[in-house]
């Protein structure tokens, strides 16, 4: 659990509302969305304003939870390897700096609990648990090395300890927190954001599956089946995170519509709203701008840069 010193906030309710709006205004430029129009204002997000109200009234640091940073994609055409690279480094630095910007408008500040969820569905995405352990350990080391004091990493090891196998932990998560498959199928038929999420996960699974023995159509059917499994466990992980961090403001790496209880956050610039550092790598342009893209494309446009002897990113030109 995250602990931080508290500071009383004695402002009037109207002042506290203004502070909540200022904090949310700090987040809005980075909102990840599929909405066709922008121009967002804080009053268009009442659920998020309510989430901010309690810590602001108490003068406590705001806690954000962000499920994500699971592991690297198993597709070598997308990523540089199975360990964090420049994409994760920049994303972590962005999150820490975002907390710093919030502190400028709300002195008690903010923290982010990165809820690394790779073990939750590693068997469904075809990534060995040992690679996920290595990714998580390297992620924590990166947070320490970069001095990102406003970030913490939370995963199944904090929930269930080291005594159970990864399969046992996944079974517990499903049994205790996952919605039924029928419920999820019904949701994807009737809810547009859920349908888009299902389609996005299906696409990722199709792109990342190597060595499938059947036909292309059989692979598509298998990916659709696994996509529901990923969504069920992702929902379960979200519920479990809420149990451990009940007062937190919930961020999401997926696009979220207005009115959602979750707030979609864009970590880095990318041409695809679904793209994340763990499904891509970084191309640094000549003007210093950094962009996420698949490795095959970045390799065509730039040269590989090493950091501490490991592949880090590509430099254009």
């Amino acid at each position: 659990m995250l602990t931080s010193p508290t500071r009383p906030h004695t402002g009037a309710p109207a002042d506290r509302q203004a502070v909540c709006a200022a904090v949310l205004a700090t987040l809005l430029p980075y909102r990840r969305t599929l909405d066709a129009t922008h121009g967002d204002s804080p009053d268009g997000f009442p659920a998020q304003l309510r989430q901010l109200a309690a810590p602001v009234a108490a003068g406590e640091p705001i806690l954000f939870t962000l499920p994500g940073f699971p592991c690297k994609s198993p597709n070598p055409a997308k990523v540089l390897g199975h360990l964090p690279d420049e994409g994760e480094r920049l994303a972590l630095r962005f999150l820490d700096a975002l907390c710093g910007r919030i502190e400028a408008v709300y002195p008690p500040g903010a923290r982010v609990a990165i809820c690394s969820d790779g073990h939750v569905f590693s068997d469904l995405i075809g990534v060995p648990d040992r690679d996920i352990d290595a990714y998580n350990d390297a992620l924590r080391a990166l947070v320490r090395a970069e001095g990102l004091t406003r970030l913490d990493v939370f995963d199944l090891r904090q929930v269930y300890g080291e005594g159970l196998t990864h399969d046992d932990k996944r079974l517990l998560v499903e049994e205790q927190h996952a919605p039924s498959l029928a419920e999820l199928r019904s949701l994807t038929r009737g809810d547009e954001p859920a349908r888009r999420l299902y389609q996005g996960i299906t696409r990722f699974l199709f792109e990342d599956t190597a060595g499938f023995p059947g036909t292309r159509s059989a692979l598509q059917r298998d990916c659709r089946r696994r996509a529901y499994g990923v969504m069920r466990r992702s929902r379960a992980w979200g519920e479990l995170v809420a149990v451990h961090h009940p007062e937190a403001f919930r961020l999401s790496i997926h696009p979220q519509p207005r009115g959602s209880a979750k707030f979609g956050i864009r970590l880095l610039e990318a041409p695809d709203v679904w793209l994340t550092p763990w499904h891509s790598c970084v191309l640094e342009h000549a003007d210093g701008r950094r962009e996420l893209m698949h490795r095959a494309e970045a390799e065509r446009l730039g040269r590989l840069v090493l950091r501490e002897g490991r592949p880090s990113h590509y430099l254009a030109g």
Side-chain angles (χ1 to χ4, degrees), residues 7 9 50-63 106 108 247:
R7 181 186 300 183
H9 188 76
R50 287 193 297 271
Q51 290 174 17
L52 293 169
V56 168
E60 297 176 346
I62 298 161
L63 173 62
Y106 177 61
E247 303 300 323

Side-chain angles (χ1 to χ4, degrees), residues 80 85-88 90 268 280-284 290-293 298 312-315:
L80 290 169
D85 54 35
E86 184 73 353
E88 279 83 0
L90 292 174
L268 294 171
S280 61
C281 66
V282 169
L283 176 71
E284 183 178 351
R290 298 173 175 98
E291 182 181 10
L292 291 176
M293 63 179 61
S312 171
H313 61 287
Y314 287 91
L315 184 63

Side-chain angles (χ1 to χ4, degrees), residues 68-82:
F69 292 84
C71 58
K72 284 293 194 181
S73 163
N75 185 345
K78 289 185 176 183
V79 298
L80 290 169
H82 70 277

Side-chain angles (χ1 to χ4, degrees), residues 20-21 23-24 27 47-57 62 64 249:
C20 292
V23 170
L24 191 53
L27 297 175
Q48 282 67 41
L49 290 172
R50 287 193 297 271
Q51 290 174 17
L52 293 169
V56 168
I62 298 161
F64 297 101
F249 183 116

Side-chain angles (χ1 to χ4, degrees), residues 21 48 108 133 207 253:
Q48 282 67 41
D133 280 333
E207 292 172 352
I253 54 93

